[in-house]
Amino acid sequence: MSEAQSITGEQSIARELTAFQNNILVILANEPMYGLAIKRELESYYGTEVNHGRLYPNLDELVDLGLVEKSELDKRTNQYALTDDGYDAVLDGIQWTLSNVVTNDDRADEINDIVEDSY
């Protein structure tokens, strides 16, 4: 069974994805990766093992939704890259979060500090 719900209306697809799927998109926003590298990043974030049976079906669904592109690195290894629609989905999620978190100048300054420290 799919982790994402069915998509309805004009709202961004990012709003229908699970947190796990959004985390995959965020990881791929940095650079294309092969599956085991994505798995390691997720495990580092969650602090626990990520099962292959959870990761790869979610990657396949993101590919089917057009948010991730899958290509062959070699006969045994696939690489996954964020598509333009996937990047737009990440931005939509960030915009929605910020619109609910940044409610005054102090919070805006805290967010600016986070952004400046990130690069």
Side-chain angles (χ1 to χ4, degrees):
M1 175 177 224
S2 163
E3 281 204 34
Q5 301 168 354
S6 63
I7 287 90
T8 58
E10 290 297 315
Q11 69 187 25
S12 170
I13 196 168
R15 298 176 189 181
E16 300 296 328
L17 299 175
T18 66
F20 186 78
Q21 290 169 325
N22 273 303
N23 290 339
I24 292 170
L25 296 181
V26 168
I27 288 168
L28 290 175
N30 186 35
E31 65 182 344
M33 294 182 165
Y34 60 97
L36 288 177
I38 297 167
K39 181 179 182 294
R40 282 190 213 112
E41 288 288 327
L42 289 166
E43 289 173 341
S44 175
Y45 177 71
Y46 289 119
T48 187
E49 184 178 350
V50 172
N51 188 304
H52 289 265
R54 182 176 186 203
L55 175 62
Y56 290 100
N58 278 283
L59 280 168
D60 289 340
E61 183 169 358
L62 294 170
V63 169
D64 291 344
L65 292 171
L67 302 175
V68 171
E69 182 177 80
K70 179 179 175 179
S71 61
E72 261 190 29
L73 279 177
D74 58 45
K75 292 192 183 283
R76 293 178 25 154
T77 308
N78 291 315
Q79 178 168 288
Y80 299 89
L82 201 61
T83 65
D84 289 342
D85 287 344
Y87 182 72
D88 289 345
V90 171
L91 290 181
D92 182 71
I94 292 168
Q95 182 180 9
W96 183 84
T97 299
L98 290 176
S99 71
N100 285 286
V101 171
V102 180
T103 57
N104 59 46
D105 288 341
D106 288 339
R107 285 187 171 189
D109 290 342
E110 289 175 341
I111 299 298
N112 281 330
D113 290 343
I114 291 170
V115 170
E116 287 177 9
D117 291 342
S118 296
Y119 58 96

